[in-house]
Amino acid sequence: MMSRAERTPLTDWWWTVDRGLLAALVALMVAGLVFLMGGGPPVAERIGLPTFYFLNRQALYLAPTVLIICAVSFLSLRGIRRLALLTWIGGVAMCLLAGKFGPEIKGAHRWIQFGSFGLQPSEFVKPAFVVVAAWAFSEGAQRRDMPGGLLGLLILPVTIVPLLLQPDFGQTMLITMTWSALLFVAGLHLIWVGVLGVVGLAGVFAAYTFFHHVRERFNRFFDQDSGDSFQEFWSRESFRSGSWFGTGPGEGVAKRHLPDAHTDFIFSVTGEEFGVIVCLCLVALFAYIVLRGLKLARRTDDTFSRLAITGLTTLFGLQACINMAVNTQLMPAKGMTLPFVSYGGSSLISLALGTGFLVALTRKRPRTVILNTKPPGTAPSAIAGVKQ
C-alpha cells in the first residue's frame, strides 16, 4: 500500500488520480480482449492468418497503451496543452499527406504506411483537437487580449477540411459534434445552438449530395433493397440468434459472415455469443466512464480543465454510441471502432492519448498549482482552484 506520508511522484499521482475512472478503463480493456476472442478468429482464418492473430496483436498493443495513459496522466496542465498542440499540428499535416499520398483502402486515403505498420492520423487528431479547442475557448473567456473565441471557431475548418479530402465523413461528424458540445459548455446562447443544428443538417445533406459512398449508405439504411445490405443483415441476425444469454463463447455463426467482425462489428459478435445482457453491461460501463468524467468536470472551477474534460468525455461517449448504434441498425453503417474493444493499433494508441489527457485533467490539483499554470495577464478573478 502507498502511504500518504510518502512524497514521491508516484505516490502523489496515486492519491490524486481518479481510481474509479482508471478501474473502468482497465475493465474495458480486459473486456475487449475477451470479446475479441470471439470476433477475431473467423476473420483471421478467412484471410489466411493464425487463428488468434488479432487477439495476440491487441494484447501486444495494450502494453504501450497502458504506458501512454500512465505517462500522459503525469503531465501538468501546461504539459497537456503543449503535447496536444504538437499532436494536433502533426496530425493535421499527416492527414493532408495521407489524403495525397496514402494508399487507397475502401475508396479513401486515410492511412500512412511506415513499412508494415499503418497509421491513421485522424485518430490522433481527435483528442488533440479537443484539448486545443478547449484551450482556445478558455483563454478567450479569461483574457481580453487573446482572441481565443475566434481561434476556437477557426480550428474546426482547419481540422475537418483535410478529413473531408480523404474523405472521412464519420470522423468529421464526430469532431464537429464534439466541438459543438464544447461551444455549448463554453457559454454559447441557445439561439446559436439551434443555428449550429441547422448548419449540421445542411452539412449532412451536402455530404449525401456530393459523396457517393455516403449517399449509398443512407439509401441502404432507409431502403435495404437499394443496395448490398450484407453486413446489416448479419449484424441484425447476430443479436437475433444470441437473444438474452448468447450462444456461448466461440459458438457464433453470424460472425463468420461479417467482414469486420473484429473491428466495426465487434458489438454484434458480443451480442451473438454473450447475449444482450452482457451488451447492456458493456453499455453501462461506457455510461459510467462518461458520467464519471462529466461529474469530475462539474467539480472543477478551472475553465480549461472543465472544457477539456467535457470535450474528451463527449468524444469518447459519442464514438461508442455511434459504433453501437450502427451495430443495432439505429444509424447507417460507419467505419467507427468501439473504444478499447475493437481491434486496432492506431485506435488503441490514440485512445491512450485521449484517456491519458482525461486522467491527467481529472487529477486533484491544489489551487497553487493551477495558479502557476496560468499565463501572465490572466485576471485573478477568473481563476479558481479544483475542489479537493
Side-chain angles (χ1 to χ4, degrees), residues 254-267:
K255 67 180 183 182
R256 303 187 180 279
H257 301 276
L258 287 168
D260 298 316
H262 61 316
T263 54
D264 299 349
F265 288 92
I266 189 71
F267 191 64

Side-chain angles (χ1 to χ4, degrees), residues 89-263:
I89 293 172
V92 170
M94 285 196 291
C95 283
L96 288 169
L97 291 175
K100 188 72 174 176
F101 305 107
E104 182 176 339
I105 300 175
K106 297 182 179 180
H109 301 267
R110 302 172 186 170
W111 294 81
I112 291 180
Q113 288 294 137
F114 299 97
S116 59
F117 178 74
L119 181 72
Q120 190 174 1
S122 61
E123 293 285 351
F124 296 87
V125 168
K126 292 185 297 185
F129 165 84
V130 170
V131 175
V132 173
W135 184 13
F137 285 132
S138 65
E139 290 299 304
Q142 295 173 355
R143 298 179 61 183
R144 294 181 180 179
D145 61 332
M146 177 73 175
L150 178 61
L151 291 175
L153 293 173
L154 292 177
I155 191 177
L156 179 66
V158 172
T159 304
I160 65 175
V161 167
L163 298 180
L164 290 172
L165 294 175
Q166 293 182 346
D168 193 340
F169 180 69
Q171 301 287 16
T172 300
M173 181 176 67
L174 180 60
I175 286 175
T176 304
M177 292 169 67
T178 306
W179 178 84
S180 300
L182 266 179
L183 208 56
F184 176 72
V185 175
L188 186 68
H189 195 279
L190 285 176
I191 293 176
W192 289 107
V193 174
V195 172
L196 276 177
V198 173
V199 172
L201 290 175
V204 172
F205 179 76
Y208 178 84
T209 304
F210 296 108
F211 292 97
H212 177 69
H213 70 286
V214 174
R215 183 165 59 253
E216 276 191 342
R217 288 179 177 179
F218 271 98
N219 291 340
R220 197 162 59 237
F221 177 73
F222 290 109
D223 181 11
Q224 295 180 6
D225 296 328
S226 63
D228 180 16
S229 57
F230 181 81
Q231 287 195 129
E232 289 80 359
F233 170 79
W234 284 109
S235 179
R236 283 195 311 274
E237 191 63 28
S238 63
F239 286 104
R240 227 178 254 138
S241 61
S243 190
W244 288 102
F245 301 103
T247 58
E251 299 298 322
V253 175
K255 67 180 183 182
R256 303 187 180 279
H257 301 276
L258 287 168
D260 298 316
H262 61 316
T263 54

